[in-house]
Amino acid sequence: MNTKCIGKRTVRFQTPPRILSTGTIVGDVEGEGPLGSYFDIILKDDMWGEKSYEKCECKMFEQSVRTALEKIGMDTEKLDIVLGGDLLNQLITANFAARQLGRPFLGLYGACSTMAEGLLVGSMLIDGGFANYVSATASSHFSTAERQFRMPLELGGQTPPTSQRTVTGAGTVIICDGQNAADKNNSLSIFENIVVVGGTIGKVIDYGITDANNMGGVMAPAAADTLLTYLEESGETIEDFDYIITGDLGSFGAKMFKELCHDSGVELGDKHIDCGNIMFLPQQNTKCGGSGCGCAATVFGGYLLKRMEAGDFKRVLFMATGALMSPVSSMQGESIPAIAHAVVVERR
């Protein structure tokens, strides 16, 4: 019997991997939001000295990894595996950034769930003895996402009430083997003792929604499915967590998520935080809030982990959500499937 599996989709690590450091980069609009002071780098413009938005996003991805490593005095060569993904076709952001980093690379596509997927896969690699140091990165860019999934900004398209603003941002989390004594006593570690103790692998859920401007409605059922699966397979309850943190459901999706949980007998109460809901201020007029791979990655790495380190809370279920759409499937009239991966993070 595999003691690391506590259900068909849920795992618990025998030696929980440690979170060592994070690196976060956001755009100027995100920097003007309520969390601006928590991010490492705030861009002054959407191009960051590059010739295209896509090149800017690639630079953000690479530099978020280097920023996280610099904080703990670690050289790139010490990374065993780079994990990461983005929203663009064929993962061009992650692939080209990995070309510059020059380390073994596994590209991940979970749409906006990519950061949780990276943490889950990375922790499995470490707990399984296949790596000692892993980086998990996810990025998105408002202008690249609009150009690919909806309409180029130059066309001036109007956004409906259910829409969200794709976050311009990249976030990296460095995790390591929890048994590594050198790192346990490493004074350069940004986080003293924050670990990933387990998680639940998401399942693709599709409620038949075709509206590309209603990402919250698309992803809420997947978030509910993953949460309910974790609670059932682990035997835990909502009371075992300080917060349940979703990636980017936004205000509409967050309400739907709570209603779906309520219908299944689970009451979230005031224990739910959505990264998309806290990224922007109401006066920034982002409709239902933030979205994109960079939303959960930067809020988790820049804000939530720092609050955990400060002792504001000790145990969370971080559950990033992703809409698995593509321009091709949308043009063919396909509905939009979604997924949510979850990791349990503790401060010990």
Side-chain angles (χ1 to χ4, degrees):
M1 180 178 179
N2 188 346
T3 57
K4 295 183 181 182
C5 296
I6 56 174
K8 292 184 177 180
R9 294 165 51 189
T10 302
V11 299
R12 181 170 291 150
F13 303 122
Q14 291 181 344
T15 305
R18 289 189 60 218
I19 292 178
L20 286 182
S21 177
T22 60
T24 53
I25 302 172
V26 298
D28 56 336
V29 176
E30 291 73 16
E32 294 170 358
L35 308 182
S37 62
Y38 288 91
F39 303 125
D40 296 313
I41 299 173
I42 299 175
L43 307 185
K44 294 182 179 179
D45 62 79
D46 278 357
M47 301 287 276
W48 205 13
E50 298 297 319
K51 294 182 179 180
S52 71
Y53 299 123
E54 288 76 12
K55 288 182 179 295
C56 172
E57 185 178 345
C58 183
K59 182 178 178 180
M60 289 164 53
F61 187 111
E62 177 190 350
Q63 291 303 316
S64 72
V65 177
R66 297 192 186 280
T67 297
L69 291 172
E70 287 171 2
K71 287 183 182 179
I72 53 176
M74 183 183 293
D75 188 85
T76 310
E77 292 300 312
K78 200 166 185 179
L79 276 180
D80 296 306
I81 303 173
V82 172
L83 300 171
D86 56 274
L87 292 175
L88 302 185
N89 287 340
Q90 288 78 50
L91 297 181
I92 57 172
T93 298
N95 290 339
F96 290 5
R99 176 181 65 181
Q100 298 302 112
L101 292 167
R103 302 306 300 145
F105 170 66
L106 291 174
L108 306 174
Y109 188 81
C112 304
S113 72
T114 298
M115 176 49 76
E117 181 179 0
L119 287 171
L120 191 55
V121 172
S123 296
M124 287 177 171
L125 289 167
I126 289 173
D127 190 52
F130 300 103
N132 290 317
Y133 297 95
V134 172
S135 65
T137 306
S139 71
S140 57
H141 194 297
F142 173 68
S143 298
T144 66
E146 291 299 311
R147 178 147 61 194
Q148 176 161 298
F149 292 104
R150 284 171 282 272
M151 293 183 290
L153 301 178
E154 293 83 356
L155 295 181
Q158 299 298 304
T159 55
T162 56
S163 67
Q164 296 167 246
R165 179 185 173 93
T166 302
V167 165
T168 296
T172 292
V173 178
I174 306 293
I175 51 180
C176 77
D177 182 354
Q179 286 186 317
N180 192 320
D183 283 315
K184 286 183 177 181
N185 300 314
N186 186 353
S187 61
L188 295 178
S189 298
I190 301 302
F191 304 107
E192 185 174 347
N193 202 14
I194 296 180
V195 296
V196 180
V197 300
T200 295
I201 299 169
K203 184 173 73 173
V204 176
I205 304 292
D206 191 339
Y207 267 37
I209 298 172
T210 58
D211 183 3
N213 287 296
N214 185 12
M215 294 295 94
V218 167
M219 298 184 293
D225 174 79
T226 297
L227 174 61
L228 295 171
T229 298
Y230 177 82
L231 296 178
E232 178 184 356
E233 294 188 344
S234 69
E236 297 179 6
T237 70
I238 294 297
E239 297 306 313
D240 291 310
F241 296 96
D242 294 303
Y243 290 106
I244 307 297
I245 300 166
T246 51
D248 56 340
L249 297 178
S251 56
F252 180 82
K255 182 179 179 181
M256 183 176 176
F257 172 55
K258 283 190 172 184
E259 290 177 354
L260 289 169
C261 290
H262 169 78
D263 291 344
S264 297
V266 174
E267 300 296 339
L268 294 175
D270 59 357
K271 286 181 174 283
H272 178 225
I273 294 176
D274 183 73
C275 298
N277 277 344
I278 62 175
M279 174 60 85
F280 299 110
L281 294 165
Q283 56 266 36
Q284 289 182 283
N285 192 28
T286 59
K287 298 297 196 304
C288 283
S291 68
C293 296
C295 181
T298 56
V299 173
F300 179 72
Y303 172 65
L304 294 167
L305 285 178
K306 290 178 181 177
R307 284 196 59 189
M308 286 191 78
E309 182 67 15
D312 294 338
F313 41 84
K314 293 183 178 180
R315 196 170 193 262
V316 302
L317 184 72
F318 173 61
M319 186 168 56
T321 49
L324 305 177
M325 60 187 290
S326 86
V328 174
S329 63
S330 294
M331 286 189 289
Q332 293 178 352
E334 261 284 4
S335 57
I336 305 172
I339 198 164
H341 302 289
V343 290
V344 181
V345 182
E346 290 182 1
R347 181 180 184 272
R348 293 185 170 181

